[in-house]
Amino acid sequence: QSHGKSQLINQFCPITCGNGCFNTIMDLPFPIPAMVPTLVPTFTPTTLIPTSTPTTLIPTFTPTTLIPTVTPTTLVPTRCPGRKEADRRKEVADRYAASPSDISGSAQQRALDFVITLNPDPCGEDPYDIQRYVAAVFYYSTGGDDWENSGNYLSSEDECNWDGISCNDDNLITSIIHNRNNLVGTLPEELHHLPKLIRIELDDNYLGGTFPEVYTGMSELSSINLDSNKLTGSLPTSMGDLQSLQFLDIDKNDFTGVLPLSMFTINGLEVLDINDNNFSGNLSSEFGNLSNIKYLQLYNNRFDGTIPLSLGSLNEMNTLYLHGNDFTGTMPEEVCALVNKPDFDLIVPCNVCGSCCEGCLNRGGRLGRDELPDFDPFVGWLQGWLETPP
């Protein structure tokens, strides 16, 4: 058998191995190598046995077109996702914190509580929240709980229907009227948030504090009636910004200081009633710019200096009361000539009366309104003016 194997090796080895084949198995070198010859591959070819499942054959995820991952927003609309009552409260408060108003005050906090409680819906977007809030601040700032007549104020009714409030056709507040109603406290700055407010009438109450400067930014305000209160301080220098103002009645308070020059640019002013205060300084010649003035009542103040000649050019005027001041000099003849007009009322200090002495009063004769002679024309005109719808 060895011989037979040798013959086979001799026959085939040159072909497969080339030269150098051994004649017998015994001639093979020892020891036999322990490693597999390099001719045998050390790994399975990737082309024969794929190492992963082809992604084109087995998808690794469910197509989104077959199973939507979210509910379409068109099916479930939301106006304020995640908005809570506390969020709405903060939004309403922030609306006023950026203004001159102070949202942290007691009246402001109570008003905010009222507005939020009245509409508890966290998603509620009520464009009238602002004026409802302002109306509520007015109530709490002026001692509304002790008003003689609060009526339906702070009820669930529309604020346009609350006692003392009137609105226009767009349901925007145009007037606040609470005369002789035991109002105390101070005038709230928040009223300047009412863009269509035309009339404020709060006479014969007990309001203190100063006249809020922010009111001078109320472009449509035409009537301010605050007489017979306890207001103090001077009038803002920006009073002239009230270019729609026709009626200013602030008599019988404790105002001080000089009249701001800007006031004399309000050409539409018809009534300036500032008697029984403590205004001081000279009467400016700029009074002559008030070409539409009808009633000018400056008596019982601390004005001094001479009476300006320009008062005689106010042809629309039919009432001029200057007594109870500290004027010097002599009344200009142009002013005295006004008494020749029909139904003209003129009262001047006797020490400067000149040719007008028939209607004069000394400073010691400080008269109240009820004692002034022939006051009926003014009262009648005023009543008709106030009854005219805003």
Side-chain angles (χ1 to χ4, degrees):
Q1 291 180 351
S2 298
H3 179 71
K5 290 180 181 179
S6 298
Q7 288 181 339
L8 291 174
I9 290 172
N10 288 333
Q11 180 178 355
F12 295 106
C13 188
I15 298 174
T16 60
C17 303
N19 296 328
C21 291
F22 297 97
N23 290 328
T24 65
I25 294 177
M26 298 301 294
D27 295 329
L28 293 174
F30 288 91
I32 297 174
M35 59 181 291
V36 180
T38 57
L39 294 178
V40 180
T42 60
F43 60 91
T44 304
T46 58
T47 56
L48 296 178
I49 303 174
T51 58
S52 65
T53 304
T55 57
T56 56
L57 296 178
I58 303 175
T60 59
F61 60 92
T62 303
T64 57
T65 55
L66 297 178
I67 304 175
T69 57
V70 296
T71 303
T73 56
T74 54
L75 298 179
V76 185
T78 57
R79 287 189 300 157
C80 52
R83 189 182 186 209
K84 300 178 181 178
E85 180 177 328
D87 298 327
R88 177 171 177 243
R89 182 184 180 88
K90 184 177 185 302
E91 288 176 16
V92 175
D94 287 347
R95 212 178 302 176
Y96 301 98
S99 76
S101 307
D102 182 5
I103 196 67
S104 64
S106 173
Q108 288 77 10
Q109 285 296 317
R110 295 178 71 184
L112 189 59
D113 289 339
F114 170 78
V115 171
I116 297 299
T117 303
L118 193 64
N119 184 8
D121 178 11
C123 292
E125 301 291 346
D126 191 340
Y128 297 101
D129 270 358
I130 295 178
Q131 72 172 15
R132 189 171 299 125
Y133 167 84
V134 171
V137 169
F138 173 78
Y139 177 88
Y140 289 118
S141 295
T142 59
D145 292 340
D146 295 319
W147 288 356
E148 289 186 5
N149 179 22
S150 59
N152 64 345
Y153 215 97
L154 291 194
S155 69
S156 59
E157 292 187 42
D158 190 292
E159 64 274 9
C160 289
N161 296 324
W162 292 352
D163 284 6
I165 289 183
S166 299
C167 295
N168 59 16
D169 292 339
D170 296 322
N171 291 322
L172 297 176
I173 294 177
T174 57
S175 68
I176 299 177
I177 302 175
H178 279 279
N179 300 321
R180 295 173 291 280
N181 200 23
N182 197 40
L183 273 62
V184 297
T186 59
L187 294 169
E189 292 185 347
E190 283 80 0
L191 293 187
H192 86 283
H193 285 299
L194 303 176
K196 297 299 180 180
L197 188 63
I198 296 174
R199 184 176 296 176
I200 301 174
E201 295 183 19
L202 309 173
D203 69 310
D204 287 300
N205 285 293
Y206 303 94
L207 296 170
T210 60
F211 183 92
E213 185 173 2
V214 292
Y215 286 11
T216 64
M218 301 166 73
S219 60
E220 299 199 22
L221 192 60
S222 65
S223 175
I224 301 175
N225 186 359
L226 300 172
D227 76 82
S228 303
N229 279 283
K230 298 181 178 181
L231 298 171
T232 61
S234 58
L235 296 179
T237 58
S238 56
M239 285 294 290
D241 293 343
L242 292 169
Q243 286 296 306
S244 296
L245 193 63
Q246 296 177 291
F247 185 95
L248 180 60
D249 184 2
I250 54 173
D251 68 274
K252 298 181 181 177
N253 280 284
D254 292 314
F255 285 112
T256 57
V258 299
L259 299 180
L261 287 177
S262 65
M263 281 183 58
F264 305 117
T265 67
I266 308 176
N267 294 325
L269 190 62
E270 297 182 16
V271 174
L272 181 58
D273 188 1
I274 61 173
N275 57 274
D276 291 289
N277 279 284
N278 287 295
F279 289 113
S280 59
N282 297 338
L283 294 187
S284 170
S285 61
E286 300 295 318
F287 265 104
N289 295 333
L290 302 179
S291 57
N292 289 298
I293 200 76
K294 293 179 174 61
Y295 296 91
L296 184 56
Q297 302 190 146
L298 309 179
Y299 64 92
N300 292 346
N301 277 287
R302 302 294 175 186
F303 293 119
D304 56 23
T306 59
I307 295 173
L309 176 66
S310 59
L311 289 179
S313 66
L314 299 177
N315 295 322
E316 296 295 321
M317 184 168 59
N318 52 37
T319 299
L320 176 61
Y321 296 148
L322 298 173
H323 57 284
N325 284 288
D326 297 320
F327 294 120
T328 57
T330 303
M331 179 72 64
E333 288 297 322
E334 291 81 357
V335 178
C336 285
L338 294 174
V339 297
N340 297 322
K341 295 175 58 177
D343 300 321
F344 191 90
D345 287 332
L346 174 64
I347 303 179
V348 298
C350 291
N351 65 308
V352 297
C353 62
S355 62
C356 311
C357 290
E358 290 185 3
C360 75
L361 286 174
N362 291 316
R363 183 172 180 81
R366 298 172 67 89
L367 299 181
R369 171 178 290 179
D370 295 338
E371 299 173 275
L372 290 175
D374 198 17
F375 203 69
D376 290 341
F378 173 70
V379 175
W381 178 90
L382 178 59
Q383 182 176 1
W385 193 93
L386 292 177
E387 291 175 354
T388 302

